[in-house]
Amino acid sequence: MTTLTLAIVVAFVLGYACIATESLTKVNKAAVALLMLVACWTLYMFDPLQYLTLMHTEYTGGIAGMAEKVTTIIQEHLGDTSTTLFFLMGAMTIVEIVDQNGGFNWVRGVMKTHSKRALLWRIAFMTFILSAILDNLTTSIVMIMILRKLVADKQDRLIYASLVIIAANSGGAFSPIGDVTTIMLWNKGLITAAGVIMEIIVPSLISMVIPAFILQYHLKGELQMPQMKTGAGESVGDFTDTQRKAVFVIGVGGLMFVPIFKSITHLPPFVGILLVLGVLWTTTEVFYRHLHRGHDDEGTQKRVSNLLSRVDMSTILFFLGILMAVACLSEVGVLAALGEGLNTVFDGNHYLVTGIIGVLSSIVDNVPLVAGCMGMYPVAATGDMAVDGIFWQLLAYCAGVGGSMLIVGSAAGVVVMGLEKITFGWYMKKITWIAFVGYLAGIISYYFIRTFVF
């Protein structure tokens, strides 16, 4: 490893450390990720010729064509990254539209029960299903808001909130649109929608059911629920009950349609998500056009053009910074060398490699981990490294579910931590071992599925 390569790695590691300690530094991780991107590629440009001859053996332009070649390489990486970013922006906007216009209100009615344990199982399965359709971050926010209206006791709510984290991460792991890491793998063509759903759904379900089974014994007695007011003509904001249902069906149904659209047209997934966003946007505009003028001022605030400002751009910029910084590591040959090293140490045992990656994802962000693995390991025509091979499917499972082991290990955990003020120590003492048991059980079940079923 040359001195320049070492400097690029150090810049990445320092940036990564600042991202992992965001709660201590109080510096937004998106800002750090963008600085890391610029630092890595700026260092790369000190002597790009050594990397061009190393990683692009076909390059013969010498010093004269060096800048143009590097620009082309960066644009190619940016194009790959943009497909993920546009997918995320579209999905986040669709969920925001459905949520702001009352599309999720029906979920609260489904939860109605007086049994604490019955509520726990309903929360678990509802979170699991919704996170597969939406995403684990959005689902966690929706479920915590519902819990606040259903559970008054703070200690009980901490148990429910912890299960929301586990169920959201498990539900997102088997769906091509349920977690950022699976979106990345799917966009890159490393897994297919049918393949990951068919083979990972059982391990994901097990990783949720076992912790739920253990956590139910922390809850005793009956739950006193507040009375809910419902009515056929009730409206939220300006939409009627029928219009809210239409928004929900188009939004959530559209998200489920995206994998089908991809298989029919063979277009990238972000094209399908933009189709759904366009249809939903048009539908809501038609609804608002027919509203009484007296409601125009209120309705305007929930129109898509205004809701776009609520999309978390810091998250989008964080992914941009991370993915492009990882692309730089790939271009200097570090990821390929690291992948070979892991294979050598663990003798090509992909269960151990991905299992360790999953544990690491509970400590640091799983996005750069998965992005790194995508750069470390080339896709093979057949075997474990082929499309829908053991390695890529296990990576989707481990990176998603592994984040449940620590409360800072996933986007769902971080947002629930903020909403419910769960401390790192309480979660580690009460929940970490439970999440770890479910995580291991899911890996074991996947081994039996791949060995005896597929």
Side-chain angles (χ1 to χ4, degrees):
M1 183 181 292
T2 65
T3 303
L4 184 57
T5 303
L6 184 61
I8 294 172
V9 172
V10 168
F12 184 87
V13 171
L14 287 176
Y16 204 111
C18 291
I19 290 171
T21 57
E22 180 187 17
S23 59
L24 299 175
T25 62
K26 307 300 181 184
V27 177
N28 191 290
K29 61 184 179 181
V32 177
L34 292 176
L35 289 174
M36 187 166 64
L37 178 164
V38 175
C40 288
W41 281 105
T42 301
L43 288 169
Y44 178 93
M45 288 304 294
F46 275 49
D47 185 14
L49 193 58
Q50 65 168 302
Y51 301 120
L52 291 177
T53 54
L54 173 69
M55 303 302 296
H56 300 271
T57 53
E58 80 287 353
Y59 176 70
T60 56
I63 297 176
M66 188 172 59
E68 185 179 351
K69 179 63 176 178
V70 173
T71 300
T72 302
I73 291 171
I74 292 176
Q75 288 174 344
E76 288 175 355
H77 284 296
L78 184 61
D80 290 340
T81 300
S82 296
T83 60
T84 300
L85 298 185
F86 277 109
F87 186 97
L88 286 173
M89 284 191 286
M92 291 164 69
T93 306
I94 290 167
V95 171
E96 188 70 27
I97 295 168
V98 175
D99 184 41
Q100 288 298 314
N101 289 288
F104 293 118
N105 285 3
W106 64 275
V107 179
R108 184 183 175 190
V110 174
M111 297 290 108
K112 188 175 182 180
T113 179
H114 290 294
S115 169
K116 290 183 179 180
R117 292 185 178 179
L119 178 62
L120 178 134
W121 285 104
R122 292 183 186 186
I123 288 289
F125 281 103
M126 183 63 70
T127 305
F128 185 85
I129 294 168
L130 283 181
S131 66
I133 301 171
L134 308 177
D135 65 79
N136 50 13
L137 176 62
T138 304
T139 301
S140 298
I141 296 171
V142 171
M143 298 310 292
I144 292 300
M145 294 307 174
I146 291 171
L147 279 174
R148 285 182 173 179
K149 298 175 182 177
L150 300 180
V151 183
D153 185 85
K154 175 68 174 178
Q155 291 304 312
D156 284 349
R157 203 161 67 240
L158 291 182
I159 299 297
Y160 289 120
S162 300
L163 183 60
V164 165
I165 296 171
I166 294 171
N169 287 331
S170 295
F174 81 89
S175 166
I177 60 173
D179 187 88
V180 174
T181 52
T182 53
I183 291 172
M184 289 163 59
L185 293 168
W186 185 44
N187 264 303
K188 196 73 172 178
L190 302 174
I191 57 175
T192 63
V196 74
I197 291 172
M198 193 162 46
E199 297 187 33
I200 299 298
I201 186 170
V202 172
S204 295
L205 192 60
I206 288 173
S207 71
M208 181 274 290
V209 168
I210 290 178
F213 181 77
I214 297 171
L215 285 172
Q216 71 174 342
Y217 294 102
H218 290 71
L219 300 169
K220 296 178 182 179
E222 289 194 348
L223 188 70
Q224 296 299 320
M225 297 178 64
Q227 294 293 320
M228 293 184 292
K229 296 179 180 180
T230 57
E234 183 190 357
S235 66
V236 173
D238 294 307
F239 284 3
T240 65
D241 186 61
T242 301
Q243 289 172 328
R244 293 201 313 271
K245 288 177 180 177
V247 169
F248 176 83
V249 170
I250 295 171
V252 177
L255 288 171
M256 297 171 69
F257 173 72
V258 171
I260 301 172
F261 180 82
K262 180 183 184 297
S263 66
I264 295 172
T265 64
H266 302 290
L267 288 168
F270 82 91
V271 179
I273 212 77
L274 293 180
L275 167 66
V276 178
L277 177 58
V279 172
L280 185 59
W281 193 338
T282 303
T283 303
T284 56
E285 289 295 298
V286 170
F287 288 166
Y288 279 121
R289 189 182 65 181
H290 292 293
L291 285 174
H292 190 274
R293 290 184 179 180
H295 294 280
D296 281 353
D297 291 339
E298 181 183 354
T300 301
Q301 299 305 311
K302 294 187 177 181
R303 284 192 167 182
V304 178
S305 53
N306 284 291
L307 293 181
L308 285 171
S309 63
R310 299 193 182 199
V311 174
D312 189 358
M313 283 305 298
S314 67
T315 299
I316 300 298
L317 291 175
F318 166 69
F319 291 140
L320 172 64
I322 279 291
L323 294 176
M324 288 302 291
V326 169
C328 184
L329 292 185
S330 176
E331 286 298 325
V332 300
V334 168
L335 297 183
L338 184 58
E340 291 174 6
L342 282 174
N343 275 340
T344 301
V345 171
F346 296 106
D347 196 26
N349 188 322
H350 297 313
Y351 287 91
L352 280 176
V353 172
T354 52
I356 290 172
I357 290 171
V359 173
L360 287 175
S361 74
S362 68
I363 303 170
V364 294
D365 199 283
N366 58 4
V367 172
L369 280 176
V370 172
C373 289
M374 288 163 60
M376 283 158 52
Y377 299 99
V379 184
T382 57
D384 292 354
M385 304 302 295
V387 175
D388 276 337
I390 289 175
F391 180 83
W392 301 116
Q393 290 193 340
L394 266 179
L395 182 62
Y397 169 84
C398 292
V401 177
S404 300
M405 285 184 273
L406 292 178
I407 197 165
V408 295
S410 66
V414 171
V415 73
V416 172
M417 181 184 188
L419 291 172
E420 287 298 318
K421 302 297 184 288
I422 301 176
T423 64
F424 181 92
W426 181 90
Y427 191 92
M428 189 170 185
K429 181 181 178 181
K430 300 281 188 179
I431 309 298
T432 294
W433 73 271
I434 297 175
F436 182 67
V437 169
Y439 173 73
L440 280 182
I443 293 176
I444 293 169
S445 69
Y446 180 77
Y447 170 78
F448 281 104
I449 289 171
R450 288 297 300 220
T451 304
F452 301 108
V453 179
F454 293 101

